[in-house]
Amino acid sequence: MQSFKGLNIKESVLSVLSENGYSNPSPVQQSVIPSALRGESVLAQSPTGSGKTHAYLIPILCRIDTKLPRLQAVIVAPTRELARQVYDFAMPFAKADSSLRVRLFSGNNNREADEEGLGPNSQPHIAIGTPGRLLDLFSSGLLNPKEVKTAVLDEADMLLDMGFFEEASAILALFSNPQVLVFSATLKEHLKSALAKYVKADLRYEGGEIKTASEVSHHLVDVRHRERAAAAAELLRIKRPYFAIVFVNKKEEAAQVALRIRESGFGVVSYTGDLSERERRKTMRMIRENRYQVVVASDLLSRGIDLPDVDLVVSTDVPSDLDFYYHRAGRTGRFGKNGDSYVLYDMGEEQRAKALYEAGVPFDMLTIKGGQLVHDPKGLGIHKGQKRQAYEDDEKREIAIAKARHSGKSVKPGYRKKAKLAVEKVKRKYRRKAISKAIRKNLSRKK
């Protein structure tokens, strides 16, 4: 495996990476960093948790001229939480190099606080922020776009989905022929079309379809018409996680779910868009300090946020946007640790649950019975009777094909015997399958 040392990275940057436990680049970093160091534009699709932040931060840090007191790189993130996280990733490098100036502009502070210290000769080298606040500061002349040579759109699909792409596009339009680095968990056609005007990518990296880490186990739980909040609380009582995130589709449901979980004896907090800026900062700090065992959250917390100790994720509903399931499940199973993702569903959500199952999510089917999670033989309607019928239908179809091959308009000598032999061959094949299945079942019972 190639190390960071082999990527022509500045020694000062290598030193900080090493001090923080990073020695080898991830696949996206290994592919993107050399191109970005050459000043090329990049369009990169890579799943959550794959190392996208360092993939663009490292080249930026290597190309910044700290002797020039001008803004040289702008990083646009869709949410305040993501902007704060990028800022936290950058700060160890700023602490190691006192001449490097990094500022966060994301609405966490009031406008006056963001304006403080900005002037013609006191620009940050790197500005990180949300689209609205950054565009506001550029429009008022407090941030100077003239020397910006690198612009980053982080979680670009989320920028588009949340309606921020017009503002992000307006920011890109301020720069003169910049290097543009775009990172996204998905690259759908409507996003590619939106980006086409601004990104003439020298490198296009696609790190596989959106999915979760192999360390995540996936479970569908049929709640059998039970109240979701009560079912989520019982699931937590059964699993007793170290740290869990419970996702709700609507932020209005968060308080009820949190109350039920609190009544079950867990330390729990809600994290939704209804929180004020001060409350969000305080709550996120306490979450990172492991003050709570359970966080009940909207999908605000499903994208990009690194909480390394999450061992259990619960979705109280099948997400309305199925892609969000992968983002939710991706909050666990990170950094090589194992994790579990449970989705609670009922009859009305079977079609969406089936869509996830048919898309390749390796769910096992469960239900809650007698205070325990047990296998559900009728999960999503996939039960023994249906499987047996499908098995018999396959055999009948192959027999019909075998007969058809040995009949036709002209009757050839011995056609009846040949047809009979062909049919017997098909029947022997399915008898062997049945015997093999019975043997495997018997052996599994003995284990």
Side-chain angles (χ1 to χ4, degrees), residues 73 86 112 126 130 152-153 173 203 220 225 236 300 331:
V86 175
E112 289 73 23
I126 303 172
T130 49
V152 177
L153 298 186
L203 171 69
L220 277 173
H225 309 294
L236 291 170
L300 180 68
R331 297 308 95 210

Side-chain angles (χ1 to χ4, degrees), residues 228-246:
R228 299 304 172 87
E234 185 165 7
L235 175 60
L236 291 170
R237 285 198 300 270
I238 294 168
K239 297 302 297 181
R240 289 289 165 186
Y242 176 74
F243 180 32
I245 301 178
V246 178

Side-chain angles (χ1 to χ4, degrees), residues 164-235:
F164 295 141
F165 206 80
E166 186 175 338
E167 292 163 309
S169 300
I171 292 170
L172 290 180
L174 296 170
F175 312 136
S176 176
N177 195 30
Q179 173 193 39
V180 182
L181 307 177
V182 178
F183 290 80
S184 183
T186 60
L187 278 179
K188 295 180 179 178
E189 286 304 320
H190 66 296
L191 176 59
K192 295 175 189 175
S193 299
L195 289 168
K197 181 180 177 182
Y198 301 99
V199 185
K200 310 298 182 191
D202 301 289
L203 171 69
R204 178 166 170 161
Y205 172 83
E206 295 192 46
E209 295 182 4
I210 177 175
K211 57 184 180 180
T212 54
S214 58
E215 289 82 3
V216 180
S217 298
H218 305 266
H219 318 274
L220 277 173
V221 183
D222 189 341
V223 297
R224 304 281 202 270
H225 309 294
R226 295 181 61 192
E227 182 193 34
R228 299 304 172 87
E234 185 165 7
L235 175 60

Side-chain angles (χ1 to χ4, degrees), residues 109-123:
N109 299 315
N110 57 35
R111 172 68 187 266
E112 289 73 23
D114 278 345
E115 292 177 357
E116 187 178 346
L118 291 179
N121 294 310
S122 57
Q123 297 277 289

